[in-house]
Amino acid sequence: MAGSGTAHLRPEAERALVVDDLVVEYPAGRGTVHAVSGLSLDLLPGETLGILGESGCGKSSAGRAVMQLPPPTSGEVRLGDVDLTALPARRMRAARARMQLVLQDPVSALNPRRRVKDLVVEGLEIWGWGERDRDRFVDELLSSVGLDPATVRDRRPHELSGGQCQRVCIARSLALDPDVLICDEPVSSLDVSVQAQILNLLERARERLRLSMIFIAHDVAVVKNISDRVLVMYLGKTCEVLPSASLEAALHPYTRLLLASVPESSGAEDAADPADPADPAAAVVGELPSPLAPPSGCRFRTRCPLATERCAAEEPVLREVRPGQFTACHHVEES
Ligand SMILES: Nc1ncnc2c1ncn2[C@@H]1O[C@H](COP(=O)(O)OP(=O)(O)OP(=O)(O)O)[C@@H](O)[C@H]1O
Ligand code: SF4
Ligand SMILES: [Mg+2]
């Protein structure tokens, strides 16, 4: 674990998930898209890590690569004591079931021809189960995600609302009794009125099952509210990792600009209000540079108000600037 971005990883042996120096690259014509460039993170049982960053910074690529869907270009992913990147294909399916992905668009995640009662147990080996056991299990799952089994059991996805479909997706994930849930913008396609309900449902599931969660989003207030720690990404790299309770004390210029995009009313106490979405990049001047040719040195330097020559020449490493707060910036003191 020697990567410069690993300073924030904890030594505890009981970590549920460790991601070390993850790289995701896509071939593009004669070039390469550098979507994720050395991301490291870890999760304790029952902990939620929020990943925050503007559109195109590599959040989904990272989430999929952690799930090995597809496997990353390089880097290590350890689930408990199992190294997924070294696992033979025949053992991958069982290991992958211990991690589940909840996606942004729940309707298209579900097979439109199947009924809810079949969809929620689709990933399970249920051969040999009696019909009564299976029905009882399905009903328990549906109730646990706040759906009335009698009403929805026989429906197909198009007969449900977006919020109900997301509840079915979450029930399907929980059916497999995972250790880790990766939620990739799970509420951004939903009506504002149901977003808070789904966030509460995820929070309750995390507590009840001691799930570890990665919560990917670009809404600062939502990420702050649901996460224990927040990892801020910019153009495939980690800028800052810090407890969400100290998010307002962020020191990286990019994190500071993201916070400046949050409306005044979304302070620490009412930050949960998803009815007040903000474009996280609104306060950041200029375009995100192409991941085909990321800037030298600090990747944020082309948009950073504090950039100096050193920022172009030398890549800043992530270092602990306050207890539990890690920042990758040459000029933290001036921030
Ligand atoms: N399959 C792919 N092939 C080539 N490039 C890709 C592929 N998937 C993603 N990319 C590119 O990789 C970069 C990171 O994309 P990614 O979807 O991971 O970002 P994101 O942070 O999830 O964005 P958003 O907030 O819009 O979902 C982008 O430049 C994107 O265009
Ligand atoms: S290293 Fe330089 S360019 Fe990068 S965030 Fe810090 S001041 Fe800005
Ligand atoms: Mg995405």
Side-chain angles (χ1 to χ4, degrees):
M1 216 179 282
S4 62
T6 58
H8 61 293
L9 300 188
R10 278 85 49 96
E12 287 91 340
E14 89 240 27
R15 289 177 298 179
L17 179 77
V18 180
V19 174
D20 190 14
D21 212 6
L22 192 80
V23 173
V24 181
E25 292 174 349
Y26 304 107
R30 276 190 229 146
T32 301
V33 176
H34 300 273
V36 181
S37 305
L39 179 77
S40 298
L41 57 87
D42 62 5
L43 279 178
L44 303 180
E47 183 184 39
T48 301
L49 176 75
I51 300 187
L52 196 59
E54 72 195 272
S55 184
C57 74
K59 304 181 296 295
S60 298
S61 299
R64 286 195 306 263
V66 169
M67 293 282 299
Q68 310 292 302
L69 291 171
T73 308
S74 65
E76 204 175 287
V77 178
R78 287 198 306 282
L79 186 61
D81 51 10
V82 178
D83 179 358
L84 293 186
T85 37
L87 214 56
R90 67 193 152 77
R91 287 181 54 205
M92 181 59 86
R93 189 162 173 251
R96 203 185 268 139
R98 292 170 55 201
M99 278 193 292
Q100 290 295 310
L101 196 55
V102 176
L103 295 167
Q104 178 173 1
D105 181 0
V107 182
S108 62
L110 297 171
N111 182 337
R113 287 188 293 275
R114 304 205 78 186
R115 294 180 193 277
V116 167
K117 64 182 179 194
D118 299 317
L119 287 166
V120 289
V121 288
E122 210 168 35
L124 271 180
E125 309 281 346
I126 52 168
W127 302 297
W129 283 35
E131 200 164 321
R132 207 184 309 163
D133 284 345
R134 181 199 143 113
D135 287 349
R136 193 183 310 134
F137 183 66
V138 166
D139 288 0
E140 275 172 20
L141 271 173
L142 292 174
S143 303
S144 76
V145 295
L147 290 170
D148 174 29
T151 313
V152 300
R153 201 189 286 128
D154 290 309
R155 292 202 181 159
R156 294 193 169 85
H158 70 270
E159 296 170 302
L160 303 175
S161 68
Q164 287 174 319
C165 282
Q166 193 59 298
R167 287 177 193 269
V168 171
C169 288
I170 294 169
R172 241 156 80 95
S173 299
L174 300 183
L176 293 156
D177 195 18
D179 299 321
V180 175
L181 207 56
I182 300 181
C183 303
D184 189 354
E185 312 249 12
V187 297
S188 24
S189 72
L190 302 178
D191 285 350
V192 160
S193 56
V194 291
Q195 289 187 1
Q197 295 168 18
I198 297 294
L199 292 172
N200 285 337
L201 167 62
L202 287 168
E203 187 57 11
R204 270 190 286 121
R206 182 192 63 77
E207 264 174 34
R208 188 165 48 90
L209 306 170
R210 216 164 171 243
L211 278 171
S212 302
M213 262 193 337
I214 293 181
F215 190 93
I216 297 171
H218 54 253
D219 186 320
V220 178
V222 168
V223 168
K224 177 183 162 68
N225 185 252
I226 201 159
S227 311
D228 298 297
R229 290 183 305 145
V230 178
L231 184 152
V232 182
M233 262 182 99
Y234 183 79
L235 206 59
K237 291 216 175 239
T238 303
C239 302
E240 192 154 33
V241 184
L242 71 172
S244 50
S246 17
L247 193 58
E248 276 76 23
L251 287 170
H252 195 284
Y254 180 60
T255 319
R256 297 234 45 90
L257 286 167
L258 291 188
L259 292 170
S261 69
V262 179
E264 279 295 313
S265 59
S266 299
E269 301 316 315
D270 59 356
D273 181 10
D276 206 5
D279 174 359
V284 190
V285 177
E287 296 284 308
L288 188 72
S290 167
L292 279 162
S296 64
C298 175
R299 290 197 176 178
F300 187 52
R301 70 174 166 82
T302 56
R303 301 164 83 189
C304 179
L306 299 181
T308 60
E309 278 177 24
R310 183 182 175 199
C311 304
E314 194 185 320
E315 185 179 340
V317 298
L318 209 54
R319 62 191 166 94
E320 192 163 18
V321 291
R322 292 188 188 124
Q325 178 172 352
F326 299 82
T327 307
C329 173
H330 294 309
H331 301 295
V332 163
E333 291 72 21
E334 293 133 67
S335 185

